[in-house]
């Protein structure tokens, strides 16, 4: 996995930092991945000096101990000092740091009416909902990585984002080079917004791929108390069908049955934040057997914690306890005088 060379991405567009506005919480896992790609083989101290911040501040930034947008000028310095120019895009860094491109208003023809105050309120509401959805998805990798790090399970993060991110993902590279599908059943790295791969030190299999559920990506938990039993059951059934059909998990199960060897290096986990959805899916998944490691994970976004992981039974009888059942080895993983609100 360490011998596969990443191809730099050339022909990048010129970026004006003023075209980006603060919008989201930092995508800490992806940001850490990009920073490490930019640092390369240089020491953390040398790279911190290059981008003009002190080593402790660099360490906190790289560990994801931040809650505010990362300064655009700092992200530009990281980009300018990457070890292989063109390997990381500035837009990627800005997006991971919590910024988005400002949508420029298009001039309207005179005959078209100007938006009313109600139109503007609706637009602002939709925009806020989009921000909330994005922040909820971004919280997943922070919660998962923190829970693993607190248990001494240090890991590298790889984003599932666009094709550029996937080309840097060692699980994607491994599939292309060593586990290519004979039936065109490529692993669905892009099936869920906010999906990511973790490479946990000394873990087998090598790669752990997480896929947020649709409700986690696009909405808050359902208030099941307001649904009558018939409608609640119908909704639960739709959720199960959505996972298999709309979210792409059917490809993983087909691969597991038809060519299980192609998944030998991957553990697949679908992430929920609604306990009712989690239980409904397990009613089905818990009764099936699979050839590889597949699990479901419940997190509590409000409390920023992993609640429970359940691993599907395997046909070969192999069993493995969830890493999240390990006792925490440390109360905190922050540096002294840690302040997540500090400006970067």
């Amino acid at each position: 996995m360490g011998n596969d060379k990443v191809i730099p991405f050339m022909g990048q567009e010129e970026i004006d930092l003023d075209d980006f506005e603060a919008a989201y919480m930092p995508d800490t896992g992806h940001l850490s991945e990009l920073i490490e790609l930019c640092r390369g083989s240089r020491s953390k101290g040398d790279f911190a000096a290059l981008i003009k911040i002190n080593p402790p501040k660099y360490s906190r930034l790289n560990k994801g101990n931040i809650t505010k947008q990362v300064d655009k000028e700092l992200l530009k310095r990281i980009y300018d000092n990457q070890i292989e120019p063109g390997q990381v895009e500035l837009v990627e860094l800005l997006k991971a740091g919590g910024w988005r491109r400002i949508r420029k208003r298009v001039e309207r023809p005179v005959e078209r009416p100007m938006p009313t105050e109600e139109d503007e309120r609706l637009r602002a509401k939709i925009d806020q909902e989009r921000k909330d959805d994005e922040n909820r998805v971004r919280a997943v990798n922070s919660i998962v990585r923190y829970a693993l790090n607190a248990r001494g399970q240090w890991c590298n993060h790889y984003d599932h984002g666009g094709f550029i991110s996937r080309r840097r993902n060692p699980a994607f590279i491994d599939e292309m080079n060593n586990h290519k599908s004979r039936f065109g059943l490529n692993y669905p790295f892009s099936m869920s917004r906010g999906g990511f791969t973790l490479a946990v030190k000394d873990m087998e299999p090598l790669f752990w791929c997480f896929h947020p559920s649709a409700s986690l990506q696009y909405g808050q938990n359902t208030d099941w108390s307001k649904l009558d039993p018939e409608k609640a059951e119908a909704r639960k059934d739709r959720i199960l069908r959505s996972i298999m059909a709309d979210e792409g998990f059917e490809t993983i199960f087909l691969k597991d049955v038809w060519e299980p060897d192609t998944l030998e290096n991957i553990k697949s986990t679908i992430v929920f934040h609604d306990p009712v959805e989690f239980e409904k899916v397990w009613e089905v998944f818990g009764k099936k057997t699979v050839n590889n490691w597949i699990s479901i994970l419940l997190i509590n976004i409000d409390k920023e914690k992993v609640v429970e992981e359940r691993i599907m039974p395997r046909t070969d009888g192999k069993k493995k306890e969830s890493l999240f059942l390990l006792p925490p080895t440390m109360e905190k993983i922050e540096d002294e005088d840690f302040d997540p609100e500090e400006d970067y």
Side-chain angles (χ1 to χ4, degrees):
M1 114 186 180
N3 296 326
D4 296 299
K5 185 172 177 60
V6 175
I7 301 171
F9 308 105
M10 307 308 293
Q12 299 184 40
E13 61 178 315
E14 291 188 12
I15 299 297
D16 185 344
L17 297 182
D18 290 336
D19 289 342
F20 288 79
E21 63 181 356
Y24 312 116
M25 62 183 284
D27 188 345
T28 57
H30 194 198
L31 183 62
S32 175
E33 172 194 349
L34 297 176
I35 290 172
E36 284 299 283
L37 274 170
C38 291
R39 179 174 72 88
S41 58
R42 295 169 292 193
S43 75
K44 293 177 181 178
D46 287 345
F47 191 60
L50 277 174
I51 61 176
K52 300 178 181 177
I53 61 175
N54 61 50
K57 196 168 185 177
Y58 174 85
S59 177
R60 292 193 291 272
L61 177 67
N62 196 25
K63 287 178 181 176
N65 292 342
I66 50 176
T67 58
K68 295 173 65 176
Q69 288 83 21
V70 180
D71 180 69
K72 288 186 282 187
E73 295 293 343
L74 173 55
L75 293 170
K76 179 68 163 56
R77 293 197 298 275
I78 292 171
Y79 167 79
D80 288 339
N81 287 284
Q82 60 184 296
I83 195 165
E84 292 185 30
Q87 189 177 23
V88 171
E89 292 185 320
L90 181 54
V91 170
E92 283 185 283
L93 276 165
L94 288 165
K95 186 176 179 183
W99 305 86
R100 70 173 177 186
R101 198 187 296 269
I102 298 169
R103 294 178 182 174
K104 295 184 177 178
R105 297 280 180 96
V106 178
E107 289 294 326
R108 296 171 174 270
V110 176
E111 64 272 15
R112 292 188 63 181
M114 294 296 292
T116 64
E117 287 186 16
E118 183 59 32
D119 292 333
E120 294 292 351
R121 279 195 294 271
L122 179 60
R123 182 179 293 132
K125 181 181 180 222
I126 292 172
D127 187 57
Q128 186 59 51
E129 287 173 350
R130 286 174 178 161
K131 287 181 183 179
D132 292 342
D133 288 346
E134 180 65 27
N135 283 335
R136 191 164 47 253
V137 168
R138 288 181 175 220
V140 174
N141 80 61
S142 296
I143 292 169
V144 170
R145 288 173 70 237
Y146 187 95
L148 290 171
N149 289 345
R151 288 161 175 80
Q153 306 299 309
W154 302 101
C155 49
N156 292 322
H157 175 283
Y158 304 95
D159 194 64
H160 287 182
F163 184 61
I164 290 174
S165 292
R166 291 198 294 280
R167 288 180 69 183
R168 288 193 292 253
N169 188 324
F172 177 80
I173 294 169
D174 178 73
E175 180 183 48
M176 293 296 99
N177 292 347
N178 307 315
H179 292 94
K180 200 168 184 67
S181 171
R182 298 179 291 280
F183 303 105
L185 298 172
N186 298 322
Y187 190 87
F189 287 100
S190 61
M191 74 181 182
S192 59
R193 186 165 60 95
F196 57 95
T197 295
L198 296 181
V200 182
K201 186 178 179 182
D202 299 327
M203 187 187 94
E204 187 180 335
L206 295 174
F207 312 115
W208 194 350
C209 296
F210 292 82
H211 307 278
S213 62
S215 64
L216 198 157
Q217 296 174 62
Y218 300 110
Q220 297 290 345
N221 289 4
T222 300
D223 187 348
W224 296 96
S225 65
K226 293 184 177 179
L227 299 178
D228 63 55
E230 187 176 337
K231 288 184 178 180
E233 283 305 310
R235 181 169 177 78
K236 291 175 188 176
D237 288 340
R238 285 199 302 273
I239 289 164
L240 192 61
R241 290 197 299 272
S242 171
I243 289 168
M244 298 305 298
D246 301 336
E247 298 178 38
F249 246 65
E250 79 279 6
T251 303
I252 293 175
F253 284 104
L254 273 174
K255 287 172 73 66
D256 183 75
V257 173
W258 285 7
E259 43 186 16
D261 57 298
T262 64
L263 290 176
E264 65 182 5
N265 281 344
I266 289 179
K267 176 180 177 180
S268 303
T269 297
I270 185 166
V271 186
F272 297 87
H273 71 146
D274 186 322
V276 178
E277 289 185 20
F278 179 79
E279 292 293 345
K280 176 61 181 180
V281 171
W282 186 249
E283 282 179 21
V284 177
F285 281 22
K287 296 172 184 174
K288 305 295 182 182
T289 57
V290 290
N291 294 303
N292 290 279
W293 297 109
I294 301 176
S295 72
I296 62 174
L297 182 71
L298 178 64
I299 65 172
N300 187 314
I301 290 179
D302 294 332
K303 295 183 178 179
E304 298 182 347
K305 61 180 272 188
V306 168
V307 178
E308 182 182 7
E309 181 189 18
R310 295 181 189 173
I311 302 171
M312 291 184 68
R314 287 176 53 125
T315 53
D316 59 10
K318 284 185 179 179
K319 294 183 179 180
K320 187 180 293 188
E321 278 203 340
S322 169
L323 291 180
F324 297 109
L325 289 176
L326 294 171
T329 58
M330 55 190 79
E331 288 291 322
K332 294 184 177 180
I333 60 171
E334 302 102 27
D335 300 295
E336 286 186 24
D337 303 320
F338 162 63
D339 178 7
E341 293 293 330
E342 183 178 2
D343 287 324
Y344 279 81

